[in-house]
Structure formats: structure tokens, C-alpha cells
């Protein structure tokens, strides 16, 4: 395993009216955040909020190329990002103890916070297809270039980890600075991991290590 300090490239926010960031995703143009009573989209070039959808948004957020997926309490909502309409819902696998959310390979990947697991689920039914063990509270999930990354935040210590998707073994670890944490995470498909900052109301852009990008 390799271990290093997380390199913060940029900070966004805090955003007006956002007391806590509960989830983060990226649609190729905007970074979307779960902001409690809404999902907000901002431009990563300047941090300006461009969209706000009145949808309950308490934890992880994901994007499949067409729809947003948003955890609210014990359910996962599928949301049309143009209209803000919730088009369907499925049960969340941890029954309200869910944290991160990501889309990859036709599945949703859901962090089970205190269970210390990541579940791969059917996005149409919510059926758990398999579960990956983790060693700390899971607070964000993302896939990029075949790599599975997740955030952790436990006992006031937070880090970002690349794990073996078969065994859960930690392969790379990026330690967040003291006093900061990860609440939701999404890759931009390149070198950046966008990470929610919990009650700071901020989003931090973290550099993904070059060695992991081959």
C-alpha cells in the first residue's frame, strides 16, 4: 500500500444556503452536490451555482450519463436533471445508513456508512449484487479508469482510499488534513477527485495520484 497526504488543488464554497454537503457527482459540465433540501449544480471553472433542483438530498449523488441518482433517507431517487422530476425510486441497501453513491458498469455502488461496506446494486430494483468489505466508515464512492476509490471519515480522521474491488484491500491512501473530511466523492474522469466537505459546506478538488493513472 502507498500512503501520502491528500493534495488539495482547489476549494469551492461554502455555498449560500448550504449547511452541509452530503454527496457529490459530476456530469461532465457541472459538479452536483446533495444540499439537504435540494441538489445544486455548480460550474467547476468558477464555482458559480448554475442549477438547483428541489429534491430531498441527504447523502450520496451519482450520474449515469442521463439521470441523477440521489439518496434521501432510506431511498434512492432517479432524477431528471432537466426538469427536476423524480422519475422512480428504489430502496437504499443500508435502509437509511447509506453514504456514498456512484455509477459504473451499469450498476449503482452504494456506501454503507457504519456497516463499512460498498454494495453493488441493480439500479432498477435495488437488489444487492455483491458487497465489498471496508475497514472504516464509508463516506463517498467513485470509479475512474477501472479504479474503485472511497472516502472515509471516522473518529475525526478522514482519508481517501483506492481499494481492490474484489477483496477490499487498501492499495493507495491519501490522508486529509486535520480538521477536514470527505462527505461524498466523484472523479472528473481525469486527475481530479471532487470531495464534499461535510458541515463546512465546501467541496474540495483533490489530485488523484499519477501512479494510479499508470
Amino acid at each position: 500500500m502507498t500512503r501520502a497526504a491528500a493534495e488539495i488543488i482547489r476549494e469551492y464554497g461554502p455555498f449560500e444556503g448550504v449547511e452541509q454537503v452530503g454527496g457529490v457527482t459530476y456530469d461532465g459540465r457541472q459538479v452536483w452536490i446533495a444540499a439537504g433540501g435540494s441538489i445544486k449544480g455548480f460550474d467547476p471553472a468558477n464555482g458559480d451555482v448554475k442549477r438547483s433542483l428541489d429534491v430531498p438530498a441527504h447523502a450520496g449523488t451519482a450520474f449515469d450519463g442521463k439521470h441523477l441518482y440521489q439518496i434521501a433517507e432510506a431511498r434512492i431517487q432517479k432524477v431528471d436533471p432537466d426538469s427536476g422530476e423524480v422519475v422512480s425510486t428504489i430502496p437504499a441497501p443500508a435502509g437509511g445508513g447509506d453514504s456514498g453513491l456512484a455509477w459504473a458498469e451499469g450498476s449503482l455502488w452504494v456506501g454503507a456508512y457504519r456497516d463499512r461496506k460498498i454494495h453493488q446494486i441493480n439500479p432498477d430494483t435495488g437488489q444487492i449484487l455483491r458487497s465489498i468489505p471496508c475497514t472504516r466508515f464509508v463516506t463517498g464512492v467513485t470509479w475512474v479508469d477501472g479504479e474503485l476509490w472511497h472516502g472515509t471519515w471516522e473518529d475525526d480522521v478522514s482519508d481517501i482510499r483506492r481499494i481492490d474491488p474484489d477483496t477490499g484491500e487498501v492499495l493507495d491512501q491519501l490522508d486529509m488534513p486535520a480538521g477536514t473530511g470527505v462527505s461524498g466523492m466523484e472523479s472528473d474522469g481525469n486527475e481530479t477527485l471532487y470531495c464534499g466537505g461535510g458541515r463546512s459546506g465546501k467541496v474540495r478538488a483533490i489530485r488523484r495520484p499519477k501512479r494510479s493513472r499508470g
Side-chain angles (χ1 to χ4, degrees):
M1 183 189 81
T2 64
R3 185 171 182 176
E7 180 184 356
I8 298 174
I9 305 169
R10 182 171 179 176
E11 286 191 343
Y12 301 93
F15 302 95
E16 183 177 356
V18 177
E19 297 181 354
Q20 180 170 338
V21 177
V24 180
T25 194
Y26 180 63
D27 68 4
R29 296 180 296 117
Q30 297 175 103
V31 178
W32 294 87
I33 60 173
S38 64
I39 310 172
K40 297 186 184 300
F42 72 85
D43 185 340
N46 55 29
D48 291 347
V49 175
K50 301 293 187 182
R51 300 287 309 283
S52 182
L53 308 178
D54 290 332
V55 175
H58 304 136
T61 313
F63 182 69
D64 69 356
K66 183 176 181 180
H67 292 96
L68 294 167
Y69 291 82
Q70 179 59 60
I71 294 174
E73 298 180 341
R75 66 188 186 279
I76 299 173
Q77 309 162 110
K78 184 177 182 179
V79 181
D80 182 330
D82 294 325
S83 67
E85 179 186 3
V86 176
V87 297
S88 64
T89 63
I90 57 174
D98 309 272
S99 49
L101 189 63
W103 174 272
E105 301 173 344
S107 296
L108 285 170
W109 302 76
V110 189
Y113 179 60
R114 291 188 180 276
D115 291 340
R116 298 184 175 97
K117 293 180 181 177
I118 296 171
H119 299 298
Q120 178 186 6
I121 69 169
N122 182 314
D124 296 321
T125 66
Q127 177 189 4
I128 296 175
L129 304 176
R130 69 182 178 110
S131 300
I132 303 167
C134 302
T135 56
R136 286 174 54 80
F137 291 170
V138 177
T139 58
V141 181
T142 191
W143 278 92
V144 55
D145 294 340
E147 300 176 357
L148 176 57
W149 289 82
H150 76 87
T152 84
W153 197 348
E154 185 174 345
D155 297 330
D156 295 325
V157 176
S158 184
D159 59 54
I160 298 168
R161 298 176 169 200
R162 180 171 72 91
I163 65 172
D164 184 314
D166 293 321
T167 66
E169 178 187 358
V170 180
L171 304 175
D172 291 302
Q173 179 174 323
L174 305 177
D175 296 321
M176 294 296 291
T180 66
V182 174
S183 62
M185 182 168 65
E186 182 68 291
S187 166
D188 72 344
N190 195 1
E191 68 172 12
T192 300
L193 299 169
Y194 294 111
C195 298
R199 293 188 183 280
S200 72
K202 297 181 178 180
V203 172
R204 296 181 175 92
I206 307 294
R207 190 181 307 281
R208 185 164 62 105
K210 290 183 179 179
R211 60 180 176 278
S212 297
R213 287 179 273 146

